[in-house]
Amino acid sequence: MNIFKHRHTLLLLTLLMACMTMGAQTFTLKGMVTDDEGNALELATVACVAQGKVTMTNLKGEYSMTLQTADSVVIRYTMVGYRARSRTLYKPQGTQTLRILLRADQELDEVVVTERRRQTSQTEQLDLKDIKAVPSASGNAIEELIQQQAGVSTHNELSSQYNVRGGSFDENSVYINNVEVYRPLLIRSGQQEGLSVINPDMVERVGFSSGGFEAKYGDKMSSALDITYKRPKKLEATAMASLLGASAYVGTSSKKFSMSHGLRYKTNRYLLGSLETTGEYKPNFLDYQTFITIEPNRRWTLELLGNISENHYNFRPKDRETSFGTMEDVKSFRVYFDGQEKDIFRTLFGTAAITRHLGDSTHVKLLWSAFHTKEQEAYDIQGQYWLDDTQSAEQLGVGTYMEHARNYLTANVQSLKLMLNRRLRRHDIEAALTMKWEDIKEQSREYEMRDSSGYSVPHTGQRLDLIYTLASNQKMSSRRIEGYVQDAFRWQSGESFFTLNYGVRFANWSYNRETIVSPRLSLAYVPGSNQDLTYRLATGLYYQAPFFKELRDTTTRAGITVVTLNRSIKSQQSLQVIAAMDYRFRMGQRPYKFTAEAYYKALSNLVPYNIQNVKVTYYGENLTSGYAVGLDMKLYGEFVPGTDSWVSFSLMRTQQKLPSSWEGLGVGWVPLPTDQRYALNLHFTDYFPGTERWKMTLRLAYADGLPFGAPHRGIEAQSFRAPAYKRADIGMSYLAYSAPDSPRFTLRKIWLGLDCLNLFGISNVNSYYWVTDVTNRQWAVPNYLTGRQINFRLIGEF
């Protein structure tokens, strides 16, 4: 009986163990994840939510995981920027192999800043589908998107220019389809700028780096903006009209041919009407671009890009009245004007590229480009002013000033570039050699007269002097040779991923006979213990190769400022060290990404400069050294389900040390003109409750004011700081018409938009006009930017 009981117990235990073994039966799932062009997608997420199992694809797009079998097992494949996919396996056993294709998400209707692939270099990919819903004062949507990134700042909503981590406007390189592009050189104010060279309707990809960028980007110290124009895959078109301008885009393609055209017109006459200086504003800006691609076979590709831009700025001022000071001490400044200003900026830009494909992993490209600009700045403006104390009615100053300029500049830049790209199993190798030819002619004549209380300033009592006079007649012809070699090496150790990007860049300029060598290195690490984290470290020696503006050395003789070109000038240097961290997480079932970057830049051979509005005037000599140190942080994610928003916050300090010959002035270290100590930006998107036809976009900016001083005094006198720049823009868009997808060319969507620019009507200071009386006492009268304005938009998509 006891034996039977023991046998019965053993039988029950055996059956129980067998059931447990069957319940814990596992299978192996492996495979590969690719995009719609067959390229492997590394670091895509493969998850079985029900079992709490998650893995990521390796550098070849491959994955493998062990799961428990069941009647049905659901596997989900996701990657930011791609449509998620799910597959269901029924009673899987043994080894299951799934090859999954993820298609790019084409349904994004808003500005989308995501990472198609995890950021493993210092260049962040800013993906954008439609940025027309964002309120814009300048009409330059790409640059306005850049201005909202961490470490980037602007203090002028009319300008497309920006400062990056303490650098000047001229320290930012811009590339379109692997060709460096240039801006007009005589621009001195935001209202003159018009349209930038980047047409947002034609852009497919935007890469931006605020420091530590790869060797393929040119010799600029602060940032690199890499634009790739799209090749349309079907007949498509968009049209937009607003109170600030209009644009039209059309693209078409066939099996071996694609073509796109973009036309833009802008007039900020309506916007400039909100300035305190009243008068007749007649700004007109026109831009046409075309991009053509021909592929006769798989071995050859021909690309043609052309741009014609004509910017006219005509202005006849009438009067101005400005109140400034404190609540207890209010000053009033009134001016009555005579004269006018007429400016013309005409730009031509073109590229031609032919590519020979040597298999799927190697190609050679030959690029030719040409840039031509003809610029004219002419004005004669006289102002009669009164400066009063509003409380005591005391007249503090009365006088007349007259400003005159006849500035003409013609520049031609041609380049020939040979590129080689080679993709191996773990390496992406790229090399290029470029030859550039530069010809620039300048003829300038400027003067400024000030008369205060019947006395010309400066007053000597013996002769009549003007406060400022400049004469320049310069020609420059030079040749540059540039080249680089770089490699992106990716490898995996266990569950951890590494990406090492290393390279070197060299350049020689015939004008000053200088040769520079720029080594650069960055490392990205994704730990296997937490693959939501990415650590990045970058360093390199960066140069700011001088161009025409940096060469202009000014010397004052007998009251006249004479310009000469300094052939002994050297490239400015920046030794950069950057440590960064990216963390992806979910909160409330919504994805978020937090990024933090700390940086230090040791600056040497600096060419000091002053900034008035957006005009940068250089000293023309390597006189100072300095540093920039800061921290940039950004939180991006779905603040509201189904939308994309972000907030960025930056802290920075940048200073320069004056040369020992200036020690007698009692000044050692002074802030750079771009010393913005803090900046906060918010981009928030939301839908109206109960409908997705209504969208709202809110943009907020709060940035520290910049140092400034009296004109013609030098950087050692920049002892004041402007008020903080504060601005809020809000835009609302309504989808008035939406048609179902159709293979025919037809009207797809109609959007109606309403924007309120400068929502709170804040008077931001752009620059200062200095009033001097006969006692040499100076008053800084602020020049305010645009006030509150309403803009209507109508957009049609075909």
Side-chain angles (χ1 to χ4, degrees), residues 663-715:
E663 288 181 355
L665 301 174
V667 181
W669 288 86
V670 297
L672 266 77
T674 55
D675 181 39
Q676 178 180 274
R677 296 169 297 185
Y678 59 86
L680 176 67
N681 285 282
L682 172 68
H683 182 106
F684 178 73
T685 306
D686 195 2
Y687 289 104
F688 277 57
T691 179
E692 293 187 357
R693 285 183 171 268
W694 281 97
K695 293 182 181 179
M696 184 277 295
T697 302
L698 175 66
R699 293 176 46 181
L700 299 177
Y702 189 93
D704 185 26
L706 300 178
F708 74 96
H712 320 302
R713 289 291 184 92
I715 57 175

Side-chain angles (χ1 to χ4, degrees), residues 722-743:
Y725 180 83
K726 304 178 286 289
R727 186 175 175 90
D729 297 327
I730 188 169
M732 291 178 288
S733 299
Y734 174 66
L735 182 59
Y737 172 79
S738 179
D741 291 337
S742 172

Side-chain angles (χ1 to χ4, degrees), residues 42 58-60 62 361 422-429 487-494 496-502:
E42 68 268 22
N58 60 19
L59 301 178
K60 302 177 189 178
E62 300 171 344
S361 59
R422 171 74 169 166
R423 174 171 290 186
L424 302 176
R425 181 182 176 186
R426 295 184 177 180
H427 297 264
D428 287 338
I429 303 171
D487 175 32
F489 174 40
R490 300 179 177 90
W491 75 96
Q492 184 175 354
S493 176
S496 300
F497 297 88
F498 297 86
T499 301
L500 177 66
N501 191 302
Y502 57 98

Side-chain angles (χ1 to χ4, degrees), residues 459-471:
H459 178 63
T460 63
Q462 298 179 356
R463 65 181 187 183
L464 181 64
D465 287 332
L466 299 178
I467 193 171
Y468 168 68
T469 304
L470 180 141

Side-chain angles (χ1 to χ4, degrees), residues 292-432:
I292 300 173
T293 303
I294 303 173
E295 282 188 330
N297 52 55
R298 295 186 61 185
R299 297 187 300 274
W300 295 95
T301 302
L302 175 64
E303 296 175 319
L304 302 172
L305 175 63
N307 170 231
I308 301 174
S309 177
E310 179 116 353
N311 294 347
H312 291 255
Y313 179 72
N314 298 326
F315 173 45
R316 188 184 295 271
K318 182 181 178 182
D319 57 51
R320 163 185 175 176
E321 184 167 356
T322 301
S323 298
F324 64 100
T326 64
M327 295 292 292
E328 295 79 17
D329 185 18
V330 180
K331 303 292 188 297
S332 174
F333 181 66
R334 290 174 294 133
V335 188
Y336 296 95
F337 295 101
D338 288 314
Q340 64 179 335
E341 176 176 356
K342 288 188 175 182
D343 305 329
I344 300 176
F345 303 91
R346 184 177 294 115
T347 302
L348 305 175
F349 172 68
T351 70
I354 184 170
T355 305
R356 177 67 164 91
H357 302 276
L358 306 175
D360 295 333
S361 59
T362 306
H363 67 263
V364 179
K365 176 179 288 190
L366 183 64
L367 270 161
W368 170 84
S369 69
F371 168 80
H372 168 80
T373 180
K374 188 172 184 180
E375 306 173 22
Q376 168 191 306
E377 184 183 45
Y379 56 83
D380 288 283
I381 296 178
Q382 176 181 280
Q384 297 178 332
Y385 65 84
W386 289 262
L387 178 64
D388 301 319
D389 188 318
T390 60
Q391 309 231 339
S392 64
E394 177 187 1
Q395 191 172 81
L396 303 176
V398 60
T400 302
Y401 70 86
M402 181 173 182
E403 297 176 339
H404 164 92
R406 293 294 185 272
N407 299 328
Y408 305 94
L409 184 141
T410 302
N412 294 283
V413 179
Q414 293 192 61
S415 70
L416 193 63
K417 183 176 184 179
L418 181 64
M419 295 180 62
L420 169 67
N421 291 85
R422 171 74 169 166
R423 174 171 290 186
L424 302 176
R425 181 182 176 186
R426 295 184 177 180
H427 297 264
D428 287 338
I429 303 171
E430 183 175 329

Side-chain angles (χ1 to χ4, degrees), residues 275-277 320 322 333 612-613 763-770 780-785:
L275 297 175
E276 290 190 332
T277 299
R320 163 185 175 176
T322 301
F333 181 66
Q612 180 72 3
N613 204 316
S763 298
N764 287 303
V765 177
N766 179 31
S767 58
Y768 288 86
Y769 183 77
W770 292 78
V781 181
N783 298 316
Y784 292 116
L785 286 163

Side-chain angles (χ1 to χ4, degrees), residues 25 286 293 347 386 483 514 582 691 748:
Q25 186 175 357
L286 187 66
T293 303
T347 302
W386 289 262
E514 180 188 32
D582 302 330
T691 179
R748 293 180 54 246

